[in-house]
Amino acid sequence: MKKDHGHVGKKYGMVIDLDKCTGCGTCMTACAAENNVSVRKDESDKERSITWIQLYQISNGKKFPDTRYSYFPRPCMHCDEDGRGGHHPSCVSVCVASATKLDPHTGIVSQIYTRCIGCRYCQAACPFDARYFNWWDAYFPKEKGLERYLSPDVSPRMRGVIEKCSFCHHRLMRAKNQAYAEGRREIEEHEYITACTEACPVQAITFGDLNNPKHKVHELIQLPTAFRLLERLNTKPKVYYLSTKDWVRRLADNYRPGEFKRLSKGS
Amino acid sequence: MEKPDEKLGEGFLSSLNDFVPPWLDLRSTLSTGFFLLAGFIAALVVGWILFPMILYSKQPQPINFNHAVHIDEESGIEGETETEKCLYCHEFREDGSFAGIPKIDKCIECHDDPESSIGETLEEKEFLQNYVAEEKEVSWFSYYRQPDCVYFSHIAHVNMGKQECFVCHGDHGKSEKIPVYQQNRLTGYSINIWGKRLSGWKTNTWDRMKMDDCAECHTKTGHEENNACFVCHK
Amino acid sequence: MDSPILPEGVKRCSLTTFLILLLPCFALLAWGGLSAVLCLWKGLNQTNMSNVFAFALWIVFDLAVIALGAGAFFTGFLTYIIDRKELKNIINAAVIIGFICYSGAMAMLGIDIGQPIRGWFIYWHANIHSMLVEVSFCIGCYLIVLIIEFVPIIFENRKLNEIKPIRLIGHNLHEIMAVFAATGAFLSFFHQGSLGGMFGVLYGRPFAAREGFYIWPWTFFLFILSAIACGPCFTILCTKLTEFISGKKLVPDNAIQTLAKISGWLLSFYIVLKIIDTLGWIYGVVPRAGMTFMDFYREGPYGVWLVVCEILICGVIPAVMLMIPRIRQNGTWLVVAGILNCTGIVINRFVFIVVTLAIPVMPFDRFWSYVPTWQEWGIGLAVLGYGVLVYALSYRYLPVFPKEKELNIIT
Amino acid sequence: MTPFSFEWQWNIEYLIFFGLLYTALSIVGGGLTFVAIKTCLQLMGFMRERHFH
Amino acid sequence: MQMKRRNFIKFLVGGVAGIQLTPLPWKFTDDVAIWTQNWPWVPVPPVGAVTKEKTVCSLCRGACGIEVRKIDNRAVKIEGRSDYPVNPGGICPLGMGGLQLLYNESIRFTSPMKRVGPRGSGVFMDISWDEALDILSGRISKLRKKGHPEALAAIDGNPNESTMALMVERLLKAVGSPNYVSMPSVGDTCSMVNYLQQGTGEMMAYDLENADCILSFGSGLLEGWGSPGRVLNAWGLWHDAHAKEKAVIIQVEARASNTASKADFWITPKPGTEAALALGIAHVLIKDRLCNVSFIENYCFGYHDWKSLDGQEHKGFKSMVLDEYSPQQVAGITGLQADKIKSLAHEFGKAKAPIAICGKGKGSLNGSLYEFMAIQSLNALVGNINKPGGVLVHEAMPLSDLQKLKNDQISLRGLKKQRLDQAGTSKYPFTNSLINNFLDAILKRHQSPVDTLLVFKANPVFTLPDTTACYKALKKIPFIVSFSPFKDETALMADLILPDHTYLEKMDDLVCPPGLQYPFYGLTKSVVDPVYNTENTGDAIIRLAKKIGGSVAESFQWPEYEDVLKTRASGLYSNGKGLVGYDASHPVWKMQKAGNRAAPDYSTFEEMWEAIKTGGFWFTAKHNYQNYSSIFKTPSKKFEFFSLRIKSAIDIAAKQKPLKKVLKDLGVAKNADEACMPHYSKDESSQDSTEYPLFMMPYEMINLASEWAPNPPFSNKTLLDNQLRNDESFTDINPQTAKANDLKQGDRVIIKSLAGRIKVRVNITEGAMPGIVYLPLGFGHTAYDEFLKGKGVNPNDIITTNRDPVSGQIVWWNTAVKLIKV
């Protein structure tokens, strides 16, 4: 983490409480609406549909009536530099045209559509499948007039480029603008949250500066129930999950037999 | 093949031959040189003159706007600094966003009576008649609109960075006549963003407003952190 | 009909026969051309690539073709730097094959990227940490070198050679060819290695990932080795095929044997290292990622047979065959060994690309399958068509094989 | 990318990477220039052409 | 020749060299790259001033608060709002996608239209509003002239309490037709239960946030039940890591829905046996003394056996439950283990504030009367009625009545005619309207008794069980008028379209969202100028009435619809308890529990109305807890386990026909006493088990709109590809069922019932009960655009509609089916 004028830089991150998450999909809808994500006729083609935050349904694999489903909402993990080997996020280090970068001042991994040449190397590098390629041009047919709801905060993408969750970076810029208008340089915790955080009707998502002890996320990631996806790959995601359920936690990483440590005595 | 002037040239050449070493084939060298040079010059003409002419479309603004009159010390908008005067019309909204070219409502704040003009120009009368009276928006062309992928926060530069307007906009604010709007047919960029000086040389900060120019200024003024991609891209 | 432009003193079939023989190539090119137009016009939705299979058939073709094209730089290296004189008889063929492979690969990459018009961003806005940037720079530069190496051969065409400036340029280029060959060798060396690194650095993909020493220099050299082990073999295969089709002997045996021998030793060296690498991967990278070897070979069509096929059948066996002089001196066995060798490397590239992406890393994710569309095949095969066409044209009109006249005296 | 680009960083990685790249390009470029000049000179007769074969 | 070519080549070489020294190649390369960055066909959203407008979402009855972010006059995003009582910040995915319904021109009517193509073809012609209203008023006037005003009918999807529903009903009454039919909803069943057991026909008011044990009988708390924003927020509260005491959630459902999966306990009785389970729990509560004895003894009727005035002995709830619903007996019915029922009852009975809630799925479809009564009886047994964290009992919303109707002779004669659906007759004594009977009546007669049908905010051709019957009935009606803003299936069958605004363009009220524990009045407003030439149906009705003239016009004297809303809302003002402002740090459920003392935050009606118009809501947090002696308005003035109203309905009917026939007409399988109490009886349809061995259960999802409003395309992103793949939807079946039918994952299969057949693909999941075939509601549209049309199948197509006893409403949750492998 970079020191910036004597104080620790910001590191925006997200905590998602999986026990609270109900799999309703509001985060996905809010995200798509906020970020001008194109909707195509066939969104069931999950290999090609674009969902910056995606809900993965998981199951405990037991027989009826002991089956349980749960969900992993998966935004971009905004992986960090690795303290050990000095990796950049796996996608950043491979990008040929510097179209995706880690901003050391916010911890946010950017994706610049107008810079991207569409080689998809970053997609290959991302173990979370958080990166989406525009296989088609944005679908806003004139006769539908659907382009009328597009927000000017996020530029619609052309085909042939990668897009992904930006932690609603434009909301940070919006909050900063507001602060500047009020003569402040710094923004408050609540002024910058992502669209999914705001939309989640069960308040399962918390967003803030992981480095700032006053922010709620800072406290949440200390909990014993906090964990990250594929932690052992050492990509250092800035998205944390909370769950008390062992079967859910076990699905967060590839564990070898006997390796998984249970949190509770029950299943 | 046998043209008279070529014969003439041949005579000239043969006379020249006396002055050059015998192993130099003057005739073929000169003719080669001639065609190479002809191609070379033709290319320069095409590249420097024809190409820009074709590349840019010209659209006159719907009506002239005299910036100079509006910020005139005596009769124009009041304000202590130039920036303040600019901001009178090109204002910030409450949320810190920049309103850009003012809407007709802003004009009507002063030009409230279509019947009586403030100045004496014909243009103003025309404006009052065609736009103020009908409360119709003027369809201005914006010289400085960045492409859609760019996020530019005026307030960060003007209020926080204390930048003067002319740094990016030059003396546009003092002009009496607004120039013809020139748009790149391929990119849709205004010539003011990139194209005024095709050579690429830049003498003024406002000659070009491409990414490198923004970054150059950020670096120079010690705001390198603002060269992070997402700061200006959306 | 076109006899004035045919090389001197060699026999060629009639132009009509030649064109008829090339008809399949034109068909492939037409197919590929249509596919390319569709992909460029409508976008990559014409393919069956997806967010899961970001890299697919084309990249497999690319990597395979670049590995097979390694014969050019390696033969060049042997000819001009190590000064193996006998290889002068095959270097032209190697250069042409190299040129075909690299230009084909570049063309395919141009269609493969989503925004071809912005392709130059790789060079202008390079991210030097990306292996693909290194690869692109090197391939780009090396393609220039290959063109420079190819041009003198073209200029040796009977008719062109009559024109003085062209003849002079050709001669002068030829004179300093060692400089270009050295540069080419250097560039190729890097990008062949970087191609391996390209996948080795994907630390989010345990199937391909290597760590520390295993990326540099290990995987790097492994890829170089594999490329130079199969490149010469591919050159041999191509000349053998030409000889078969033309019914003539074109290259003296000693050139072929030198290449085959070197190829054999390199392959055996490579295979030993590859086996060590695989073991290191099984007991190092894979458990660290929380997976087991079998996790990668369970899904869909990707069984352990791939490993057996790549390392044993198409690795160890051809290596042994090529090392034993008696076997490699037998024309048929030489060809068999060459085919096995090349197949092994192609499988290796396929596995590195497709299996890497096909195996889901998140435990709750699932396996997806991928079948290329006709557009993808079209473009892939068009490179084949293009290659055969360029190679055939070169053979017909250029003195590709300097010894052809000598070995086939027209009576 | 050139050292004049704002994305350029003055660090060892850039120097090595682009150093090698530009070296390779200059060698190739130099070679071509050499051939071009030589050919021109030969054509104009300043230099004798060597004959092969 | 040779020379010329060579010179040309030299010229070219010079040119190529020269061009490098001009900007052309470099700028061109750069510019084409920039061209790809600004492709003219990629939309560029215009910039402008950002404003935010607060309003209420009325896509469902939930009335969640929303804030619409606008750029100039363009709505760009819908967000939840936190300064609003019902849902503090969150909304459901459908509400989030609302702008796709506002701005999607291909699914909206852009102007009044009349049909020109064949029916259902969707070929219409634009006409003016005046012309459209003239056509309709002419038609109605003609009917009135002919003396058949009752041939005008209306199908209304507006909630019963809403002003729009009153307007429509008023229009029909003013014209002289009794045939006002509303779309069935869970509210019908709930208010009937409350009418029978508590004496007031109000909605259920569950104080969920203060409860500590939720026993949900199939209510899809996470599937969009109630006000989704509110219930999901409550779910978050229950599961908050910081909460001292977490609520226990028990889900009774035969499918691993999200609610079931996320609940603390998941109980899986056979579908249709929930009433038995509830009574089994009651048995344990009674037997193990987990009841609130003082409440039962003092404020309940019919618990013990009793003797009526005529001296007849009647069985009470207690002895019925103890006799017939022991855990073992219930286990036999439900397929659950007796121990599980016992432990479940203990979990419920020992909680401090347990609530048993009813309403299957989203709770948009009607429920079963006796099942709901049984569930409500559980709340009474534990005495958790009108207590914090319990089921609250409210008086009716204090909305003013509209001025009295003016009826002329024609209308009076028309109103005397019997309703086509027989609602309110001795067969269905407590039901207001029965749409299936209404449709049956049309189908049965040679000529349709309905000449002109008006359809408001409803899409029966899609949402009603047994869509085929509905389609046929509608086809018989000579003239259909749709007021839908959307090109829905029913609208496509219409002859005349009078398009309403969408919810973001109009002002309308939303009264008492289902399940909410306090009286609430929400008001939507026009957050954007109407995008098309549409008109608020309220205004259209007023104009129509004026065009009809006479007493009809006199009944609609308001200048515009807002005046009607104001008239109604004036009652809120005189009630004197409400608030129009809200502070998120004091949620209503806390205020209510703490005994809110806040005085109204307005002083005049106009002030209140303006505040409602800007804020969008009025509510009251004052509640009179317990107060049992006066809240029950039943004949016994108590909570009735034994409904005296059912008894008197039976008694009255029995005077004309034999008791057996009376019971049979009501659909009751048990004796007269049990007919007055919640009970379980085996469903008729479950008998044909050889031909149709499986049951089909339709289910609802929170991210798939299954009611009148269409699904916003954004939601398609949230659907899993084992729910919809390409254009095919899936049925969830258990591996056992799959094995028995020789089916593999993804196989195509035909599901056949007596009503029809549909083709789907198979999703094999352990989340499905063996023997049940699950189908999601909301797929299978034949109208709208490519985002919806032809995607999946509509389970309503194959539902065989049985009738629920007494209420006569549709039983949609157990259709016998079989699977045929394709």
Side-chain angles (χ1 to χ4, degrees), chain B residues 35-36 43 48 184 186 194 210, chain E residues 7 10 14-15 21 30-31 35:
Chain B
F35 283 106
L36 283 175
W48 283 103
N184 187 312
L186 260 178
W194 146 229
K210 276 192 100 183
Chain E
N7 286 340
K10 282 171 197 161
L21 297 177
D30 194 22
D31 278 359
W35 170 71

Side-chain angles (χ1 to χ4, degrees), chain C residues 237-248:
Chain C
L237 287 178
C238 289
T239 47
K240 285 280 169 202
L241 187 68
T242 324
E243 287 184 348
F244 175 75
I245 291 173
S246 63
K248 286 186 280 197

Side-chain angles (χ1 to χ4, degrees), chain A residues 8-204:
Chain A
V8 180
K10 291 187 176 65
K11 198 166 118 178
Y12 286 106
M14 189 181 273
V15 180
I16 305 176
D17 188 335
L18 298 181
D19 294 349
K20 275 190 186 178
C21 171
T22 67
C24 68
T26 312
C27 51
M28 289 178 74
T29 315
C31 171
E34 177 82 20
N35 293 296
N36 296 341
V37 176
S38 169
V39 187
R40 296 195 54 75
K41 175 180 181 270
D42 182 16
E43 284 290 337
S44 73
D45 183 1
K46 296 300 174 195
E47 275 180 281
R48 295 208 199 182
S49 81
I50 300 176
T51 45
W52 289 10
I53 181 167
Q54 190 179 343
L55 279 168
Y56 283 87
Q57 192 185 46
I58 54 171
S59 154
N60 65 353
K62 291 191 179 169
K63 282 205 176 337
F64 185 91
D66 296 316
T67 326
R68 292 291 184 279
Y69 291 117
S70 193
Y71 294 87
F72 265 109
R74 194 259 21 233
C76 169
M77 296 285 141
H78 293 272
C79 304
D80 216 273
E81 283 184 41
D82 171 11
R84 205 178 51 176
H87 280 308
H88 285 282
S90 51
C91 52
V92 169
S93 63
V94 300
C95 176
V96 288
S98 320
T100 183
K101 283 207 170 167
L102 172 68
D103 181 354
H105 303 278
T106 56
I108 293 174
V109 177
S110 58
Q111 173 70 31
I112 309 302
Y113 322 116
T114 44
R115 174 63 76 77
C116 177
I117 64 161
C119 73
R120 305 184 299 285
Y121 193 11
C122 56
Q123 260 189 331
C126 177
F128 305 103
D129 294 341
R131 299 185 146 263
Y132 293 87
F133 187 73
N134 282 275
W135 299 98
W136 290 271
D137 274 311
Y139 185 66
F140 296 104
K142 272 272 168 306
E143 67 274 15
K144 287 190 184 294
L146 277 171
E147 82 286 347
R148 284 173 289 185
Y149 68 70
L150 291 180
S151 152
D153 287 339
V154 185
S155 185
R157 279 71 65 185
M158 63 292 299
R159 73 155 189 254
V161 299
I162 292 280
E163 63 182 76
K164 69 160 192 80
C165 155
S166 64
F167 267 175
C168 289
H169 192 276
H170 59 280
R171 286 179 164 235
L172 172 61
M173 302 319 274
R174 208 193 280 160
K176 277 188 167 176
N177 252 10
Q178 183 74 57
Y180 294 162
E182 291 163 13
R184 293 178 285 134
R185 262 197 193 279
E186 290 299 321
I187 57 165
E188 303 283 319
E189 180 178 5
H190 68 271
E191 285 183 301
Y192 168 40
I193 56 168
T194 63
C196 53
T197 310
E198 180 186 81
C200 179
V202 291
Q203 288 92 39

Side-chain angles (χ1 to χ4, degrees), chain B residues 103-114 127-128 131-136:
Chain B
K103 293 266 161 71
I104 192 80
D105 288 347
K106 194 78 203 174
C107 307
I108 292 177
E109 279 182 24
C110 297
H111 300 271
D112 48 357
D113 186 0
F127 169 69
L128 290 174
Y131 296 97
V132 176
E134 292 172 25
E135 288 187 40
K136 194 176 100 183

